[in-house]
């Protein structure tokens, strides 16, 4: 793997049956590239949480993944409502998930904390009414 | 105990036989909330839950669970079955409550 590999995924809104497909695809590709299982698991968990948040909270969006021998960098950009209070959103247990998705098992308020826990770096840029971009890095 | 060995004990009904059935089950994990399971389920665990929808299959794949056990006779919907087949995830089912199902696996593991 000499050069960086770049992957782009469009995440469609409100489709829970397809949510997780981008993350699963990335997982498969990382496996084939021979990335260590530990790093693959971190990327899979963090990216899935971000992907599903885009579906539930932000009407979908776009994910770009950049893979180099040193690290995996994920950029999740949406044009959703934005996050009014990042500190509150990052708290374990905080969730504004509606009932219909809670019935599917979402809404524990652990997605963002998982993203933080399983990545080496995480940055949230958000503007109310404009959207949210979350950048996460996992070192190999 | 491998996933195959667990299925051979016939404690549970086999909904889908996955790909990697020779992997060793290390632990049992119980939780119905997806992002708690995502963050806490150990890799190679047998995950017992009542949530039989497609998101459970996605989480099991991405968090590297060894297999999923749907307890309480909860339904495994069609989309979930299809996804389990596609992703090669072993899905088992039982009428037993979560605790009893998990205890059985635990006893088999610690024999
Ligand atoms: N991309 C986003 N756009 C707008 N709001 C978001 C976004 N991601 C998260 N949030 C807000 O942050 C809250 C916490 O997110 P988090 O992922 O931790 O929990 P959740 O999605 O509500 O539940 P869980 O992930 O445990 O199923 C959400 O309920 C939502 O209010
Ligand atoms: Mg979430």
């Amino acid at each position: 793997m000499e050069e960086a590999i770049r992957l782009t995924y469009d995440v469609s809104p409100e489709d829970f049956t397809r949510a997780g497909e981008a993350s699963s695809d990335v997982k498969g590709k990382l496996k084939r590239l021979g990335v260590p299982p530990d790093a693959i698991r971190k990327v899979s968990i963090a990216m899935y949480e971000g992907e599903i948040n885009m579906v539930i909270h932000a009407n979908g969006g776009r994910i770009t993944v950049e893979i180099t021998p040193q690290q995996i960098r994920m950029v999740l950009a949406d044009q959703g409502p934005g996050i009014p209070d990042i500190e509150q959103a990052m708290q374990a247990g905080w969730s504004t998930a509606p009932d219909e998705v809670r019935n599917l098992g979402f809404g524990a308020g652990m997605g963002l904390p998982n993203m933080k826990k399983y990545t080496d770096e995480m940055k949230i840029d958000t503007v109310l009414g404009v959207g949210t971009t979350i950048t996460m890095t996992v070192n190999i | 105990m491998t996933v195959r060995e667990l299925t051979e004990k016939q404690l549970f009904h086999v909904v889908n036989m996955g790909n990697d059935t020779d992997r060793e089950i290390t632990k049992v994990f119980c939780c119905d909330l997806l992002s708690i399971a995502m963050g806490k389920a150990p890799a190679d665990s047998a995950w017992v839950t009542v949530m039989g929808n497609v998101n459970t299959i996605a989480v099991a794949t991405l968090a590297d669970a060894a297999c999923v056990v749907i307890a309480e006779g909860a339904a495994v919907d069609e989309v979930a079955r299809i996804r389990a087949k596609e992703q090669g995830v072993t899905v088992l089912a039982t009428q037993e409550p979560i605790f009893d199902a998990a205890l059985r696996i635990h006893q088999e593991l610690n024999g």
Side-chain angles (χ1 to χ4, degrees):
Chain A
M1 201 184 355
E2 295 295 314
E3 291 160 46
I5 296 172
R6 258 175 94 90
L7 308 166
T8 305
Y9 300 89
D10 282 316
V11 179
S12 68
E14 285 161 43
D15 190 352
F16 296 102
T17 59
R18 284 189 48 209
E21 278 186 359
S23 310
S24 297
D25 190 70
V26 168
K27 182 179 182 176
K29 291 205 161 79
L30 294 177
K31 253 190 192 164
R32 284 192 289 281
L33 286 169
V35 172
D38 180 50
I40 296 180
R41 188 161 189 266
K42 288 180 180 172
V43 169
S44 301
I45 292 173
M47 183 168 157
Y48 174 79
E49 294 288 10
E51 183 182 355
I52 210 83
N53 275 356
M54 286 176 140
V55 178
I56 296 177
H57 307 295
N59 295 311
R62 171 167 283 202
I63 304 177
T64 318
V65 182
E66 208 179 85
I67 307 161
T68 68
Q70 292 78 35
Q71 63 174 36
I72 296 145
R73 187 158 166 271
M74 297 159 269
V75 181
L76 294 86
D78 68 57
Q79 278 143 37
I83 303 174
D85 184 339
I86 294 179
E87 209 175 303
Q88 184 180 50
M90 287 298 301
Q91 272 170 28
W94 171 263
S95 173
T96 62
D99 283 347
E100 64 267 26
V101 304
R102 288 180 190 262
N103 293 340
L104 296 171
F106 297 107
M110 288 305 296
L112 288 171
N114 281 346
M115 289 156 74
K116 175 103 193 141
K117 177 177 164 192
Y118 285 99
T119 54
D120 295 293
E121 223 177 287
M122 172 175 170
K123 184 164 139 277
I124 303 179
D125 293 304
T126 188
V127 179
L128 286 186
V130 177
T132 302
T133 299
I134 301 183
T135 308
M136 299 183 284
T137 310
V138 170
N139 297 332
I140 295 180
Chain B
M1 178 172 62
T2 65
V3 172
R4 182 189 307 283
E5 285 162 354
L6 174 62
T7 62
E8 284 167 359
K9 293 192 189 293
Q10 303 193 341
L11 299 171
F12 309 122
H13 167 69
V14 179
V15 177
N16 186 62
M17 200 68 159
N19 294 340
D20 196 5
T21 50
D22 287 329
R23 67 197 280 186
E24 285 286 332
I25 300 172
T26 52
K27 249 183 150 240
V28 196
F29 179 81
C30 304
C31 188
D32 297 325
L33 294 176
L34 294 166
S35 64
I36 292 180
M38 193 56 134
K40 297 258 177 77
D44 300 311
S45 55
W47 174 24
V48 189
T49 174
V50 297
M51 291 291 180
N53 65 63
V54 66
N55 303 290
T56 302
I57 308 300
V59 170
T61 312
L62 294 165
D64 265 334
C67 63
V68 181
V69 181
I70 307 295
E72 293 278 9
V76 184
D77 68 37
E78 195 52 32
V79 184
R81 281 170 203 263
I82 294 167
R83 183 70 67 88
K85 190 158 272 166
E86 280 172 7
Q87 302 271 331
V89 179
T90 299
V91 180
L92 309 174
T94 177
Q95 296 293 325
E96 285 185 8
I98 290 183
F99 177 80
D100 301 65
L103 185 60
R104 276 178 180 265
I105 303 170
H106 179 80
Q107 285 166 340
E108 295 294 341
L109 286 175
N110 297 274

